């Protein structure tokens, strides 16, 4: 088989890098560290693999031989989908292997915001635990509360299972059409209920956004939606930061309408030092760790390598992204 040129633009685990090197000529260049090396390798690359860097029309213009982009992520908002489609370049991603891990992260944010885990742990660490804590530092129960999900794909359903089956929480979800639970999520039959958006917002104690970023979801969670949430609700974002109007979220927290927010994602990442979300007393921020466990990041890298090798060998990849539907 002819060796092709692969550009790796984010670190891969050594065993997965070795699989690529066994079949092809591999150049590693992180565009955030060495843009010149990245651009030079692009000119020869038939395959690209990595994540967290925008592959836009200008990047694609420098990659005339490109056949496939394999993203080590499920989200594809970093890629110029229409340009890839127009140029006949295959895009692959890593759905499925990260669902349970991201759901764990979102649940950690539900628990941390409601039980004030970070704040109270800091109280102990800083030597301020000098008497039994009083009501001013009590939290709120998570079990039995109503969870509202914006986005009910594989990850949303994994969150719903934890909530309904583990914490006895009624689950509401909003999608364009109700999901056929009997077929797609039998464990959630009788536990998860489709609701119009206004009803979901008015009834949920926790509103969890798991929305992909697209033209139709950018800025979707705005002042109007926050105003419709129950007073004292908690907002969690485990999808994409830019689906939320961050100034509107801050206003809802400052007014006391929302009790707290748990955020794994932000409109700009890393979160700029000057962002009020970084230190806000009602915000638990995380540095986009949804899928960041040893096991899951390795599984994502393995699937991305499988995808890349398959396309370069003329085989069907396990997880192509449907650019025709974008
Ligand atoms: C993804 O895969 O899109 C996640 O955001 C990475 O954690």
């Amino acid at each position: 088989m002819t060796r092709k040129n692969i550009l790796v633009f984010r670190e891969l685990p050594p065993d997965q890098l070795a699989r690529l090197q066994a079949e092809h000529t591999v150049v590693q260049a992180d565009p955030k560290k060495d843009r010149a090396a990245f651009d030079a390798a692009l000119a020869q690359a038939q395959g690209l693999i990595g994540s967290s860097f925008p592959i836009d029309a200008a990047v694609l213009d420098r990659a005339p031989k490109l056949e496939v982009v394999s993203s080590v992520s499920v989200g594809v908002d970093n890629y110029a989908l229409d340009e890839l489609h127009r140029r006949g370049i295959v895009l692959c991603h890593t759905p499925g292997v990260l669902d349970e891990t991201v759901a764990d992260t979102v649940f950690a944010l539900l628990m941390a915001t409601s039980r004030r885990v970070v704040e109270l742990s800091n109280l102990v660490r800083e030597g301020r635990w000098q008497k039994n804590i009083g009501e001013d530092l009590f939290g709120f129960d998570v079990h039995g509360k109503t969870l509202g999900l914006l986005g009910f794909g594989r990850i949303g359903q994994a969150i719903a299972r934890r909530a309904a089956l583990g914490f006895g929480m009624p689950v509401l979800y909003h999608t364009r059409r109700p999901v056929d639970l009997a077929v797609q999520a039998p464990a959630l039959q009788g536990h998860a209920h489709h609701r119009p958006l206004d009803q979901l917002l008015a009834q949920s104690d926790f509103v969890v956004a798991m929305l992909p970023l697209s033209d139709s979801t950018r800025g979707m969670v705005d002042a109007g939606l926050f105003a419709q949430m129950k007073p004292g609700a908690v907002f969690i974002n485990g999808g994409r930061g830019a689906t939320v109007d961050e100034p509107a979220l801050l206003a809802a927290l400052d007014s006391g309408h929302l009790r707290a927010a748990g955020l794994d994602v932000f409109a700009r990442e890393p979160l700029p030092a000057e962002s009020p979300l970084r230190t806000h007393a009602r915000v638990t921020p995380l540095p986009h760790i949804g899928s960041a466990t040893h096991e899951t990041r390795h599984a994502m890298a393995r699937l991305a390598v499988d995808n890349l090798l398959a396309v370069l060998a003329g085989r069907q990849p396990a997880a192509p992204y449907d650019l025709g539907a974008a």
Side-chain angles (χ1 to χ4, degrees):
M1 199 181 69
T2 0
R3 287 179 83 83
K4 294 193 170 177
N5 296 315
I6 294 176
L7 169 53
V8 177
F9 63 97
R10 187 172 174 168
E11 215 171 312
L12 289 178
D15 61 334
Q16 298 308 313
L17 186 63
R19 289 178 63 208
L20 296 177
Q21 287 164 331
E23 292 188 32
H24 298 285
T25 303
V26 175
V27 172
Q28 296 178 72
D30 181 342
K32 293 177 184 164
K33 294 184 185 149
D34 188 347
R35 186 63 200 242
F38 175 77
D39 283 348
L42 264 182
Q44 300 305 321
Q46 277 112 353
L48 269 186
I49 182 167
S51 67
S52 308
F53 183 76
I55 304 295
D56 56 17
V59 170
L60 295 175
D61 283 345
R62 292 174 179 271
K65 299 181 180 172
L66 198 57
E67 296 170 21
V68 51
V69 177
S70 183
S71 188
V72 192
S73 69
V74 65
V76 293
D77 44 291
N78 264 322
Y79 304 94
L81 303 180
D82 47 354
E83 285 293 326
L84 288 166
H85 192 42
R86 195 172 66 75
R87 296 167 198 232
I89 298 168
V90 177
L91 176 65
C92 301
H93 64 148
T94 62
V97 293
L98 73 180
D99 303 344
E100 300 298 329
T101 299
V102 178
D104 285 350
T105 304
V106 166
F107 237 85
L109 283 172
L110 259 79
M111 300 301 290
T113 47
S114 288
R115 299 302 307 273
R116 305 171 72 161
V117 171
V118 177
E119 178 187 357
L120 295 178
S121 179
N122 283 339
L123 178 132
V124 179
R125 295 165 72 96
E126 292 160 11
R128 292 183 285 117
W129 185 26
Q130 280 142 8
K131 57 180 173 63
N132 286 346
I133 67 156
E135 275 195 24
D136 56 328
L137 291 176
F138 287 178
F140 288 87
D141 283 337
V142 173
H143 65 269
K145 296 284 172 61
T146 299
L147 173 70
L149 279 161
L150 307 179
F152 197 59
R154 284 177 302 262
I155 300 174
Q157 291 171 21
I159 297 166
R161 282 196 303 278
R162 282 160 178 71
L165 309 179
F167 284 74
M169 300 169 78
V171 175
L172 311 177
Y173 70 93
H174 177 72
T175 46
R176 253 173 284 168
R177 276 176 295 281
V179 168
D180 184 351
L181 294 178
V183 175
Q184 288 190 33
L188 289 172
Q189 273 185 295
H191 294 290
H193 306 278
H194 185 259
R195 288 284 183 274
L197 186 55
D198 57 342
Q199 285 181 29
L200 178 148
L201 296 173
Q203 292 169 13
S204 299
D205 300 295
F206 293 93
V207 176
V208 175
M210 293 306 301
L211 299 165
L213 181 61
S214 66
D215 289 344
S216 58
T217 60
R218 189 177 297 278
M220 179 184 142
V221 187
D222 60 8
L225 263 64
F226 287 123
Q228 291 177 71
M229 291 179 198
K230 218 173 171 174
V234 173
F235 175 69
I236 307 284
N237 192 3
R240 284 293 182 265
T243 62
V244 174
D245 176 343
E246 290 178 342
L249 170 60
L250 279 162
L253 290 164
D254 286 339
S255 71
H257 180 63
L258 291 187
R259 177 157 55 78
L263 306 173
D264 186 38
V265 289
F266 299 88
R268 268 185 66 199
E269 295 178 6
L271 186 61
E274 66 277 12
S275 170
L277 292 170
R278 190 170 63 84
T279 51
H280 198 288
R282 292 174 184 263
V283 175
T284 304
L286 291 178
H288 199 148
I289 59 161
S291 62
T293 64
H294 290 289
E295 300 92 329
T296 293
R297 283 291 170 86
H298 190 271
M300 290 166 72
R302 191 172 56 226
L303 177 53
V305 168
D306 288 349
N307 284 332
L308 187 62
L309 291 177
V311 177
L312 291 178
R315 288 182 276 110
Q316 176 67 17
Y321 183 82
D322 185 0
L323 289 168

